[in-house]
Amino acid sequence: MSTSAHQIEGAVDQRGPSVWDAFTALPGNVKDGTTAAVACDHVRRYREDVALVRDLGVGAYRFSVSWPRVLPDGAGRVNARGLDFYDRLVDELCAAGVRPVPTLFHWDTPLALEKDGGWLARATAERFAAYAAVVAARIGDRVPTWITLNEPAEHTLLGHALGQHAPGKRLLFDALPVAHHLLLGHGLAVAALRAAGARDIGVANSHGPTWPASDAPQDREAADLYDVLLNRLFSDPLLTGRYPELITELLCADVPDLAGDLAVIAAPLDWYGVNFYQPTKVGAPRPGATEFSGLTLPPELPFSPRPITGYPVTDFGWPVVPDALTELLLTLRERYGDALPPLIITENGCSYDGLDDQARIAYLDGHVRALHRALESGVDVRGYFVWSLLDNFEWAEGYGQRFGLVHVDATLKRTPKASYHWLRTQLTSSPSGV
Ligand code: FCB
């Protein structure tokens, strides 16, 4: 089961501001005009939420630590109250027999660091490692498994290239230094975690098969470029110590010691996390902006996503294609061979409204079966985390897209949905790290 700090915690008055607080304060950035100031009020209700996780019968709970809750200015002064919260959360999980799996960065960069350039500045990578050390020193004695970053691809693309997520920068390909600094931050944080004794470290990257819109060379070329950005920009350097050729050309002029950085970035991982939601069909650019997955993509992009038809869709409009998960896992194994560590699905789930969410049951059932097919073909997958425990603040969508197995209403009352009861029944026969 998985969640993230900004999407559920609330209690903004007990932490420093993040880029998401600044972004959501600007009209037009979030579809329903909401913010995560209260969200699911998890900081106050975490005991109830841990009980929901425990009663579900899952073996592990992935949550994220809010950097500005621990270090309100991003560096320096520690907020004792913030660190205490994660200490109590970890204790509560351990007492419930659930393995805590913290993610150190799920997009909520301290606003103070953004003012110094955010992830465009190399110093942010160093500050991230210092923050990792502070968190590990406090909860590392009870936390066996760590995730450094969540979906650096989305954070780079949506947050810095397209401006549809915080911090709202529209730099297109000039956003690439952000990718490099996120990766460097990951590598430096791995070293900090290892120095603190951590032995089970991974990263959560988003992946999905890219399907060319046709066999025409222009469509294939556009799909290849998209595939590099989504499926290789982060995993190639992490797993092979090299950027894809195209990226090296775009980055090398600005990075003083690329080889040295790549050696840090490629520090061995104990496992590799895959967030999977959907495949993408991509073709040659078309004139005018493209609407895609709730995003408005500018015409300058050298590719354009196309609708995938013939499958059911979630409330978000995302096609439900379980076979694409099998395809993805087989592709990763083929692409990286022995360099691929054991895999963990760190996110998979769907948005559907209503308490009797039979469509979510079908989605999860289909994807677990797809995962099983990959296992039967010899792909080493060690765990599967569902996104998400609670209906929560879904970034630029606000509260409109409901990914929870537990419904949260306007009074913040939690009500398990049909999918929660279904999963609980499944798990009684085969407990695992879901
Ligand atoms: C992923 C994010 C997660 C959530 C799901 C639906 O990209 O990591 O926070 O928004 O999508």
Side-chain angles (χ1 to χ4, degrees):
M1 187 50 69
S2 51
T3 62
S4 91
H6 190 78
Q7 293 177 275
I8 65 166
E9 283 186 350
V12 280
D13 53 328
Q14 295 174 25
R15 61 161 170 78
S18 81
V19 291
W20 269 97
D21 298 315
F23 185 76
T24 53
L26 296 177
N29 280 343
V30 177
K31 280 198 184 132
D32 57 8
T34 55
T35 74
V38 176
C40 305
D41 198 27
H42 170 74
V43 166
R44 290 184 187 85
R45 295 165 199 247
Y46 74 93
R47 286 197 180 86
E48 185 184 349
D49 295 338
V50 170
L52 284 163
V53 175
R54 179 199 61 209
D55 293 349
L56 188 54
V58 295
Y61 173 64
R62 174 181 174 224
F63 61 97
S64 81
V65 176
S66 157
W67 185 350
R69 194 176 294 287
V70 174
L71 297 165
D73 307 315
R77 182 174 62 92
V78 172
N79 173 24
R81 194 176 183 186
L83 212 44
D84 285 351
F85 167 65
Y86 296 110
D87 194 69
R88 287 197 306 274
L89 175 62
V90 166
D91 276 348
E92 192 78 9
L93 287 163
C94 293
V98 177
R99 180 159 43 112
V101 181
T103 302
L104 288 166
F105 180 68
H106 201 122
W107 304 350
D108 46 357
T109 312
L111 192 59
L113 296 189
E114 191 60 30
K115 291 181 177 148
D116 289 341
W119 286 103
L120 283 165
R122 189 182 175 88
T124 299
E126 282 146 23
R127 287 175 170 157
F128 179 63
Y131 149 69
V134 170
V135 178
R138 182 63 181 269
I139 60 174
D141 55 340
R142 285 148 290 156
V143 168
T145 306
W146 293 86
I147 299 176
T148 54
L149 308 175
N150 177 71
E151 295 193 356
E154 263 60 28
H155 193 56
T156 306
L157 186 72
L158 301 181
H160 295 82
L162 301 175
Q164 314 236 343
H165 275 188
K169 294 200 155 70
R170 292 169 199 255
L171 301 170
L172 296 176
F173 281 88
D174 290 340
L176 277 174
V178 170
H180 184 68
H181 296 145
L182 282 163
L183 282 162
L184 185 63
H186 157 87
L188 295 170
V190 169
L193 291 172
R194 296 257 186 247
R199 293 210 186 86
D200 192 32
I201 307 176
V203 61
N205 264 332
S206 50
H207 285 283
T210 306
W211 296 343
S214 80
D215 277 340
Q218 309 88 298
D219 283 340
R220 289 199 154 272
E221 205 178 297
D224 282 350
L225 174 60
Y226 181 88
D227 194 51
V228 166
L229 294 175
L230 178 69
N231 289 314
R232 295 185 48 203
L233 168 57
F234 294 90
S235 46
D236 275 18
L238 286 166
L239 301 177
T240 71
R242 279 188 302 275
Y243 276 115
E245 214 170 293
L246 168 80
I247 303 299
T248 310
E249 281 163 26
L250 292 169
L251 260 181
C252 66
D254 301 325
V255 181
D257 178 14
L258 191 60
D261 286 359
L262 283 166
V264 173
I265 291 167
L269 291 172
D270 301 293
W271 53 274
Y272 183 81
V274 171
N275 291 4
F276 172 77
Y277 288 93
Q278 56 177 325
T280 312
K281 188 183 272 192
V282 176
R286 285 173 160 173
T290 312
E291 294 298 324
F292 174 69
S293 261
L295 308 170
T296 306
L297 303 180
E300 308 91 283
L301 287 180
F303 48 76
S304 93
R306 306 287 163 77
I308 291 178
T309 52
Y311 295 93
V313 291
T314 70
D315 283 359
F316 221 142
W318 297 357
V320 179
V321 193
D323 280 348
L325 176 58
T326 319
E327 178 187 336
L328 167 68
L329 297 174
L330 294 175
T331 304
L332 285 172
R333 190 190 49 181
E334 196 179 311
R335 180 171 288 163
Y336 296 113
D338 290 344
L340 188 67
L343 299 176
I344 293 180
I345 306 300
T346 31
E347 282 182 29
N348 180 233
C350 50
S351 63
Y352 287 112
D353 206 3
L355 286 171
D356 187 21
D357 54 346
Q358 297 299 324
R360 186 178 337 268
I361 294 175
Y363 181 101
L364 296 175
D365 183 69
H367 284 77
V368 170
R369 286 175 197 281
L371 181 58
H372 195 247
R373 287 194 288 282
L375 279 170
E376 282 175 342
S377 304
V379 184
D380 185 2
V381 186
R382 306 265 174 104
Y384 173 82
F385 287 84
V386 174
W387 182 271
S388 184
L389 178 66
L390 306 168
D391 289 340
N392 60 44
F393 179 75
E394 177 49 37
W395 310 114
E397 297 290 320
Y399 296 93
Q401 300 296 339
R402 293 181 170 268
F403 280 85
L405 270 62
V406 175
H407 182 265
V408 180
D409 72 9
T411 69
L412 302 172
K413 181 168 171 276
R414 277 86 162 130
T415 309
K417 304 180 187 178
S419 57
Y420 177 96
H421 297 297
W422 169 82
L423 185 57
R424 183 180 174 168
T425 307
Q426 302 294 312
L427 289 169
T428 47
S429 46
S430 63
S432 68
V434 177

